Amino acid sequence: MCASCFLAFRRPPTCAPFPANEAPLPWPDGQASGGTLRWTGVAGFRFDLDGTSLAFDPFVSRPGLLRVLLRRPRTDARAVADRFADLDAVFVGHTHYDHALDLPAVAAASPRAKVYGSLTTVELARRLGVDDARLGAVRDGVRVEVGPFAVTAVASAHGHVPVAGRLDRVGLRGAGVPRTPFRYPRGAVFAWRIEAEGRSFHLQGSAGLDDRALARQRPVDVLVPCLAARHGTPRYLERLGAALRPDLLIPCHHDHFFRSLTAPPRPVPGLDWPAFLEDAHRLETRWGTRLHLLPFDRPVTW
Ligand SMILES: [Zn+2]
Ligand SMILES: [Zn+2]
């Protein structure tokens, strides 16, 4: 995030969506936890702290459009192992392929990690060969403690995806695994509250909201909202901001995920970055929330 954006008091920031900035998270009190955080594109994150490692929606294989529509699901085991080895736990917000495709490779690269998600995510992971003992189904309010981290499932909803949303499948069909990435079912959708070292994050991996679950949330230090497909959710960031009153705002799921992870990131179609900057500015005015952008696929200190 460019410093000039922060300094442009009461004007919407003007920064680009994918800066090379690798600065630590700018906490208001300046106290870093010593942990690291890596945004691996889409809604994928890796948190490391004191020898414990978590991943959320780990997805780096990023097949192109034709492969998504027509080919069998295939993971890039090397890309996965480079980023998601030695995890202690994996949390999956919903079962669409851009959140769950890499699960078998992640489970192989992190043999001690448990995988948490909806009943659909758990069943898909089971069908993909992940051992039952490593699977944990969650529902709204379930809290999982892993080393210094506490992760709580928050019932949520999916953003409205024009056209493709009409073909969306909610549950798994038949007995096997989906024949193409496009056929991965959605399942129930969760956001996550992550707490460690006195800091808290709300990871909103899809741009729908469950108002009842959101109303039960306490304020959070960092709001991490998915920006893709948010336009069908009225006042999306305003509602998240009012419920969570975050100090920091870190967007995710705004990169075009048909592109390889090694290619320079581009905005997801329909992003409307200027509208997001306006929304971010409103959160700053209302709640003092500071916009901070993470570098693409690089760890930063938090
Ligand atoms: Zn989805
Ligand atoms: Zn997604």
Side-chain angles (χ1 to χ4, degrees), residues 74-92:
R74 214 172 64 187
T75 59
D76 182 340
R78 169 64 68 85
V80 169
D82 284 350
R83 293 159 183 84
F84 297 116
D86 300 323
L87 299 169
D88 296 280
V90 180
F91 298 84
V92 180

Side-chain angles (χ1 to χ4, degrees), residues 94 96 98-99 158:
H94 67 283
H96 280 155
D98 58 315
H99 301 250
H158 202 272

Side-chain angles (χ1 to χ4, degrees), residues 184-235:
Y184 269 49
R186 185 183 71 217
V189 181
F190 293 99
W192 307 101
R193 183 182 179 97
I194 305 147
E195 297 168 294
E197 289 289 311
R199 302 295 189 197
S200 55
F201 298 74
H202 178 96
L203 212 55
Q204 183 75 35
S206 188
L209 299 177
D210 179 322
D211 282 319
R212 287 172 59 183
L214 196 57
R216 287 196 295 272
Q217 301 307 304
R218 286 168 287 132
V220 77
D221 294 314
V222 187
L223 167 61
V224 187
C226 158
L227 297 192
R230 72 191 186 283
H231 300 296
T233 303
R235 301 185 298 107

